[in-house]
Amino acid sequence: MQSETKAIAENESSLQMRWLRWRRMGGIVLATVVGIWLWQREPRYEGQPLGHWLSAFASLRQGLEVDKREEESAGVLQRNHGKVVPDLIRLLQKKDSVFDEPWPPRPQNDVLAEALRDQLREWRPLPNWEFRHRAAEALGFMGQQAKPALPELQRLMLQTEDYASPAAAGALARTGDEGVSLLAKTVQKGSQPQKCQACFGLLKAAKLSEEAVRALEGALTDESFEIRGFAAQTLSKFRLAPEKILPALLTFTARGKAGDWGFNNRGQPADWLSGVLRNSVGQMDEPALTKMFQEQSVGNRKLIVSLLAQDNPAQAESLQRSVENF
């Protein structure tokens, strides 16, 4: 009788231990599932996760054109800006995932790591520069509503090695006077890559402040042709300071050759540079253009005449005659 009682007690104890083990395992599985769900969960706006709206913004923007999908997504974010801006700031702060390779990728030689990376990408996109880029683009579309993000946008813009830096510079310009002022100060006091980035960002400003114009005009005398080029491109877009742009660019254009920055494979000014020069020539009044033309070298005179002839052949011929009679 005692042996039977003892056997029953041992059996019950064994069942309890199994039950406890199963409960522990079940708890671990449940915690894993909940953790994955929380990891994948995104804030939702107007029925869609934030990532859906951010996917509308091009990962690498070429030019300043805006498509309808970007406008629709920007409208949703603007209507919910109070909650959206903090979420976008958190995306700007995200660092690249340890499971994601930097761009361009390094050679893949770890099969296990690659398989894990692929599986994680199926669960959720891994943080990388595109997260930051799309967040910055979205903040740019939000304009002055994105002012709380100015410190993070400035930080990202100054990190010129980050592929999202140009988007941050453009977003700063579109937030209004404060963002434009931050870019102008960078043009004046930043490193060479930071100055280029800031000049490029100012291209997207709705208008330039006096501070920004002074900074860009100062950049026209920089030793770097890249900085001069970006500053000239921005000033030319706003039809400012043509009498300063031309001498600043012609100094380098005269000795440019194939393979140099701003020149094509034939050693001629690239389309954007040619456009800036042509616009500046066209914007100058005739007496100022004639005076500057007479002070140039023979090579620069030929370049100016060829640029002017594309839009105003009669003026180009008159300019050429002014030198012959000089």
Side-chain angles (χ1 to χ4, degrees), residues 42-85:
E42 288 185 75
R44 301 179 73 86
Y45 297 99
E46 300 192 12
Q48 295 291 347
L50 178 60
H52 170 80
W53 302 115
L54 292 183
S55 66
F57 302 108
S59 60
L60 282 175
R61 174 176 294 280
Q62 301 292 335
L64 306 176
E65 297 79 12
V66 177
D67 62 34
K68 290 183 178 179
R69 188 160 174 244
E70 285 176 324
E71 288 182 348
E72 178 190 0
S73 296
V76 171
L77 299 181
Q78 287 168 349
R79 288 192 293 273
N80 298 276
H81 67 92
K83 294 181 179 179
V84 168
V85 171

Side-chain angles (χ1 to χ4, degrees), residues 16 28 30 37 39 57 101 105 111 113 117 124 137 149 152 160 196 227 247 249 263-264 280 291-292 302 324:
Q16 287 177 351
I28 292 171
L30 180 61
W37 178 76
W39 184 50
F57 302 108
E101 292 294 335
V111 177
R117 186 179 301 118
R124 186 181 187 184
E137 284 282 356
E152 281 302 318
T160 53
C196 290
I227 294 175
L249 295 186
F263 293 84
N264 59 28
S280 299
K291 181 176 184 300
M292 189 211 66
K302 289 181 179 179
E324 294 170 359

Side-chain angles (χ1 to χ4, degrees), residues 47 63 116 120 129 176 240 286:
L116 177 59
L120 287 170
W129 68 271
L240 295 168
E286 191 165 348

Side-chain angles (χ1 to χ4, degrees), residues 17-237:
M17 291 298 294
R18 288 180 186 176
W19 170 243
L20 286 173
R21 271 200 301 270
W22 280 107
R23 283 184 62 182
R24 290 194 188 99
M25 290 178 64
I28 292 171
V29 171
L30 180 61
T32 302
V33 171
V34 171
I36 291 174
W37 178 76
L38 288 173
W39 184 50
Q40 294 192 84
R41 188 179 64 175
E42 288 185 75
R44 301 179 73 86
Y45 297 99
E46 300 192 12
Q48 295 291 347
L50 178 60
H52 170 80
W53 302 115
L54 292 183
S55 66
F57 302 108
S59 60
L60 282 175
R61 174 176 294 280
Q62 301 292 335
L64 306 176
E65 297 79 12
V66 177
D67 62 34
K68 290 183 178 179
R69 188 160 174 244
E70 285 176 324
E71 288 182 348
E72 178 190 0
S73 296
V76 171
L77 299 181
Q78 287 168 349
R79 288 192 293 273
N80 298 276
H81 67 92
K83 294 181 179 179
V84 168
V85 171
D87 287 333
L88 294 177
I89 290 174
R90 281 191 286 273
L91 284 179
L92 291 179
Q93 296 168 339
K94 275 191 176 291
K95 300 185 182 298
D96 292 349
S97 169
V98 295
F99 296 105
D100 200 37
E101 292 294 335
W103 186 267
R106 295 192 293 267
Q108 302 297 327
N109 54 14
D110 190 334
V111 177
L112 182 59
E114 185 66 17
L116 177 59
R117 186 179 301 118
D118 291 342
Q119 184 60 56
L120 287 170
R121 282 179 177 142
E122 288 183 15
W123 287 339
R124 186 181 187 184
L126 298 174
N128 58 21
W129 68 271
E130 287 193 80
F131 274 57
R132 299 184 292 276
H133 179 100
R134 293 175 191 274
E137 284 282 356
L139 288 164
F141 273 91
M142 297 176 74
Q144 294 190 359
Q145 294 175 339
K147 281 188 177 181
L150 284 176
E152 281 302 318
L153 286 171
Q154 183 188 26
R155 178 192 61 77
L156 182 57
M157 183 270 294
L158 294 175
Q159 293 177 349
T160 53
E161 72 281 359
D162 193 314
Y163 282 84
S165 181
L172 280 171
R174 298 169 74 176
T175 56
D177 293 342
E178 290 180 46
V180 169
S181 178
L182 290 172
L183 291 170
K185 288 180 172 59
T186 304
V187 172
Q188 292 173 321
K189 300 179 180 178
S191 64
Q192 180 174 335
Q194 289 170 348
K195 287 181 179 181
C196 290
Q197 206 73 282
C199 291
F200 176 77
L202 286 169
L203 270 171
K204 293 190 176 182
K207 62 177 181 178
L208 294 180
S209 64
E210 291 184 11
E211 179 187 20
V213 173
R214 287 196 302 272
L216 290 168
E217 288 181 350
L220 290 176
T221 61
D222 196 277
E223 294 181 358
S224 165
F225 184 41
E226 289 185 40
I227 294 175
R228 289 192 186 197
F230 280 121
Q233 189 176 15
T234 303
L235 288 167
S236 177
K237 177 200 169 186

Side-chain angles (χ1 to χ4, degrees), residues 115 127 184 231 277 321:
L277 289 166
R321 283 201 303 270

